[in-house]
């Protein structure tokens, strides 16, 4: 799986919106899925998941479809691949 992370300026360009509008979109999105903070605090830079933002854009009226994309994304992360697998007994 390839994840493209966008800066705030790049995300604004992709969505053709101002930074303030991007902040309002962020209120609808899930931190750690649609965007991540690089550090702590309100001034930490934010990076945006290009693929999931585009999916959200095209599926705003079909959020159940977008939720499938979110679940797929979570499963494809290295941490998600570990879930649901039987553990080895070590024998």
């Amino acid at each position: 799986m390839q994840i493209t992370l966008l800066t705030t300026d790049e995300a604004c360009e992709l969505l053709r919106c101002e930074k303030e509008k991007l902040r309002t979109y962020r209120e609808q999105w899930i931190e750690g899925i649609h965007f991540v903070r690089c550090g702590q605090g309100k001034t930490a830079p934010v990076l945006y998941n290009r693929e999931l933002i585009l999916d959200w854009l095209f599926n705003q009226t079909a959020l159940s479809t977008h939720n499938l994309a979110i679940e797929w994304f979570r499963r494809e992360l290295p941490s998600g691949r570990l879930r649901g697998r039987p553990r080895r007994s070590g024998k």
Side-chain angles (χ1 to χ4, degrees):
M1 168 179 60
Q2 181 177 346
I3 302 169
T4 305
L5 296 175
L6 304 175
T7 64
T8 297
D9 290 337
E10 292 168 332
C12 286
E13 184 177 330
L14 177 71
L15 295 170
R16 291 185 167 85
C17 70
E18 300 295 324
K19 289 180 182 180
E20 192 57 40
K21 184 65 173 176
L22 187 63
R23 285 188 198 99
T24 63
Y25 287 152
R26 217 167 51 216
E27 293 172 7
Q28 301 173 43
W29 296 338
I30 303 167
E31 187 169 353
I33 300 293
H34 296 92
F35 67 96
V36 292
R37 294 182 194 278
C38 299
Q40 297 178 349
K42 292 183 179 184
T43 60
V46 177
L47 295 175
Y48 298 87
N49 182 326
R50 181 183 188 277
E51 290 72 23
L52 280 179
I53 289 174
L54 284 174
D55 188 85
W56 168 84
L57 181 65
F58 287 104
N59 290 298
Q60 289 181 68
T61 59
L63 290 180
S64 60
T65 303
H66 181 59
N67 286 336
L68 292 173
I70 291 171
E71 288 307 312
W72 177 85
F73 172 75
R74 286 179 170 158
R75 280 193 310 272
E76 290 299 309
L77 289 173
S79 59
R81 292 180 185 167
L82 299 175
R83 285 186 261 147
R85 289 189 180 171
R87 295 184 181 214
R88 292 187 173 179
S89 64
K91 293 181 181 180

